[in-house]
Amino acid sequence: MASWARLSPSIVEYFEGEDFYRCGYCKNETGSRSNGMWAHSMTVQDYQDLIDRGWRRSGKYVYKPVMNQTCCPQYTIRCRPLQFQPSKSHKKVLKKMLKFLAKGEISKGNCEDEPMEPTAEDAVAGDFALINKLDIQCDLTALSDDLRESLESEEKQKGKSSKREDANELIQSQDIEEKLGSGEPSRSVKVHTVPKPGKGADLSKPPCRKAKEIRKERKRLKLMRQNRAGELEGLQAQCEPLSSSPPKAKSNQPKSLEDLIFESLPENASHKLEFTRFLCSSPLEAETSPNGPDCGYGSFHQQYWLDGKIIAVGVIDVLPHCVSSVYLYYDPDYSFLSLGVYSALREIAFTRHLHEKTSQLSYYYMGFYIHSCPKMKYKGQYRPSDLLCPETYVWVPIEQCLPSLENSKYCRFNQDSEAVDEGRSKEPDRLQVLYKKAIMPYGVYKKQQRDPRDEAAVLQYAALVGQACSERMLLFRN
């Protein structure tokens, strides 16, 4: 891994988004448009700054939707893990996993109603069509190839050929999904009306109570009977841990995400789930820092092994301020475990773990939120979360954004009408160019190139990446 003291600069090739192409979300054949660049290499700081300006990578291709022109505007969304509390549906997924591991129980619920994102091939099909048109080699299967090579390398070291076969079967059979899984589903609002004669509740009898309330009351009374000191100590007894083991939460407080994920299993558990992590190939340069996370910065595969068989692999980027979710590969035979939701919750917990040592690393980026696409709105259920203003690049709580998105697909979230993009390109002549194996400021380069089309492309690139990145990254010009 490279250290922060001796980093190679990012090297990129920029492509203008001239053509409209098929949208992977609404399927409009000519509705989507984006700008993109090919990252030959990229530092984690540069990529952090880019995703904070609405960019996102797919393999080595980094793209930014043209928000006010594309049919489905894609807003960068981030979750705040330090304040995150799992919803009821999140808890159901975690409990479902625990029941499966402990007793082998398979939920009878239908997992098909959990929204999933379109495949990565659909989402960026037009971007790759643009790359192919420019005769630049790019293949979505590269991620699968990276995974296979990494797995095979690992198996050679461990001498376990059976796992390699499992991994190959997984790669051949599974779909490549950009994650996450479903959030808590929306609920219908019940309207209470006066019952008709002969129907409805009997007003002469006490109102019915929920079973949960009845169970709480019974528990409270039982504790009071068991405690000689009376009602006060009886109520206090509810606040004591149910057992002396550390993972248990207090009975009258909700369990934390970590309590739910790492709940201990019985010794005779039906299944064993293992979790491993290792570096993978990507344009991001692996880096270490004295104050950074122990795993370092860069791109990682997170493997999920069930009884010695790999069932899912999550691809994440560990950046200076966040963990960014990239893809989830999973075995469709285990879709009943809601692996998209489960892996997202594991990654949120992982972000909180990294934050313990690296305080500035405190966000979980979930990719894009598309309010007009039902399959993408579920990300808003991972609360609290923020959306990125597409004009000023400031973060705004999603609750403040939703009313505007109900009225218009494209919105400026920053309510300050005088606010501007503080990171905008102010001095394009300081932009760094790599030309004929020489590094030079754009002010020097443009004296050698009089093509107005080239100048327009460079200035557009500078506006999209911002002043800081334009001065650090090397823009390759042929």
Side-chain angles (χ1 to χ4, degrees):
M1 284 190 184
S3 67
W4 285 73
R6 44 186 178 84
L7 296 178
S8 299
S10 302
I11 302 176
V12 299
E13 285 185 73
Y14 176 69
F15 312 116
E16 296 177 84
E18 299 177 350
D19 301 327
F20 285 87
Y21 53 86
R22 183 176 185 272
C23 176
Y25 302 104
C26 70
K27 311 305 179 185
N28 185 329
E29 292 296 331
T30 57
S32 191
R33 189 178 186 186
S34 68
N35 296 295
M37 53 190 176
W38 185 258
H40 294 275
S41 64
M42 183 166 287
T43 67
V44 292
Q45 184 61 62
D46 285 340
Y47 187 55
Q48 175 73 71
D49 290 350
L50 287 174
I51 61 175
D52 284 336
R53 295 183 63 83
W55 292 81
R56 182 162 172 79
R57 80 175 183 89
S58 179
K60 291 190 175 184
Y61 185 64
V62 188
Y63 62 101
K64 180 178 175 18
V66 182
M67 297 289 282
N68 60 350
Q69 297 181 26
T70 191
C71 55
C72 296
Q74 302 162 52
Y75 299 93
T76 303
I77 183 171
R78 72 179 186 184
C79 173
R80 285 176 259 152
L82 304 186
Q83 295 83 36
F84 174 81
Q85 287 293 334
S87 66
K88 289 182 179 179
S89 64
H90 296 154
K91 292 177 181 178
K92 287 180 180 179
V93 170
L94 295 174
K95 291 177 181 178
K96 178 169 59 177
M97 175 66 80
L98 287 172
K99 287 183 179 180
F100 174 72
L101 296 176
K103 303 177 182 179
E105 294 182 7
I106 297 178
S107 173
K108 296 181 180 179
N110 182 13
C111 63
E112 296 298 327
D113 60 356
E114 294 180 1
M116 294 297 293
E117 292 191 16
T119 63
E121 290 162 333
D122 285 338
V124 293
D127 298 304
F128 283 92
L130 172 63
I131 291 177
N132 291 333
K133 184 178 75 172
L134 296 171
D135 296 326
I136 296 177
Q137 184 178 2
C138 179
D139 190 354
L140 263 179
T141 59
L143 280 175
S144 292
D145 294 338
D146 292 342
L147 173 60
R148 181 183 290 107
E149 291 173 4
S150 299
L151 289 172
E152 288 179 351
S153 176
E154 185 178 28
E155 297 314 317
K156 288 179 180 178
Q157 296 176 2
K158 294 183 178 179
K160 299 179 179 178
S161 59
S162 60
K163 288 185 179 179
R164 184 190 301 119
E165 296 171 359
D166 291 335
N168 289 335
E169 291 174 2
L170 172 65
I171 294 169
Q172 293 170 2
S173 65
Q174 68 200 357
D175 293 330
I176 301 176
E177 296 285 350
E178 189 180 0
K179 29 194 301 226
L180 311 157
S182 66
E184 186 173 358
S186 58
R187 298 181 178 85
S188 58
V189 178
K190 296 181 180 179
V191 179
H192 297 281
T193 58
V194 178
K196 296 180 180 180
K199 296 183 179 180
D202 187 345
L203 300 180
S204 64
K205 297 181 179 179
C208 296
R209 294 188 299 168
K210 292 183 178 180
K212 185 176 181 180
E213 295 177 354
I214 295 174
R215 290 195 298 270
K216 284 185 177 180
E217 180 66 16
R218 288 175 178 171
K219 183 177 181 180
R220 187 181 71 84
L221 293 174
K222 182 178 179 181
L223 288 169
M224 289 176 62
R225 287 195 297 267
Q226 291 176 349
N227 198 311
R228 297 179 181 178
E231 183 178 21
L232 179 61
E233 292 184 21
L235 289 173
Q236 290 176 343
Q238 294 187 56
C239 299
E240 297 299 323
L242 296 179
S243 69
S244 58
S245 57
K248 295 293 183 179
K250 296 180 179 180
S251 60
N252 69 335
Q253 294 182 359
K255 288 185 176 182
S256 70
L257 177 61
E258 288 79 5
D259 290 331
L260 292 166
I261 290 178
F262 302 112
E263 186 167 325
S264 58
L265 295 171
E267 293 183 0
N268 59 342
S270 299
H271 299 284
K272 181 180 181 182
L273 182 68
E274 297 176 281
F275 186 72
T276 61
R277 182 181 306 109
F278 63 95
L279 277 166
C280 64
S281 175
S282 93
L284 301 184
E285 299 291 339
E287 302 172 14
T288 59
S289 171
N291 299 322
D294 292 336
C295 62
Y297 298 100
S299 299
F300 295 84
H301 282 146
Q302 295 187 305
Q303 301 179 348
Y304 297 78
W305 294 86
L306 181 67
D307 302 330
K309 176 183 179 181
I310 189 170
I311 63 170
V313 177
V315 181
I316 62 170
D317 295 331
V318 178
L319 305 175
H321 300 294
C322 73
V323 169
S324 176
S325 172
V326 184
Y327 295 113
L328 174 70
Y329 302 78
Y330 68 96
D331 187 334
D333 290 344
Y334 295 90
S335 58
F336 65 89
L337 290 174
S338 304
L339 293 172
V341 183
Y342 182 77
S343 62
L345 297 173
R346 288 290 301 243
E347 290 172 6
I348 290 175
F350 179 55
T351 306
R352 283 157 52 145
H353 170 71
L354 296 182
H355 173 77
E356 293 177 0
K357 179 182 178 183
T358 310
S359 59
Q360 70 270 21
L361 203 163
S362 55
Y363 295 102
Y364 177 60
Y365 284 47
M366 298 178 283
F368 288 135
Y369 172 85
I370 304 177
H371 190 75
S372 58
C373 178
K375 290 184 178 181
M376 299 288 284
K377 289 176 68 174
Y378 68 89
K379 292 183 179 181
Q381 299 297 333
Y382 289 80
R383 302 285 180 94
S385 56
D386 309 300
L387 296 183
L388 186 68
C389 176
E391 295 181 8
T392 61
Y393 303 111
V394 297
W395 294 98
V396 180
I398 192 171
E399 294 85 357
Q400 299 178 24
C401 305
L402 295 180
S404 300
L405 289 171
E406 288 293 331
N407 297 322
S408 174
K409 289 183 178 181
Y410 173 75
C411 299
R412 171 193 168 109
F413 299 136
N414 192 332
Q415 298 301 310
D416 183 356
S417 59
E418 297 182 357
V420 297
D421 170 18
E422 296 295 340
R424 66 189 183 281
S425 175
K426 302 172 185 177
E427 300 179 74
D429 281 358
R430 296 178 59 178
L431 179 150
Q432 295 296 298
V433 174
L434 178 61
Y435 178 61
K436 292 184 176 180
K437 299 182 180 180
I439 299 174
M440 63 189 73
Y442 178 65
V444 175
Y445 165 79
K446 69 180 181 181
K447 294 178 181 179
Q448 306 177 35
Q449 297 293 321
R450 299 296 182 181
D451 187 347
R453 292 174 300 176
D454 183 76
E455 182 177 8
V458 172
L459 294 179
Q460 185 184 67
Y461 158 83
L464 294 174
V465 303
Q467 185 69 34
C469 280
S470 71
E471 290 188 38
R472 291 195 306 257
M473 300 195 303
L474 302 182
L475 176 63
F476 177 79
R477 306 310 288 167
N478 190 337

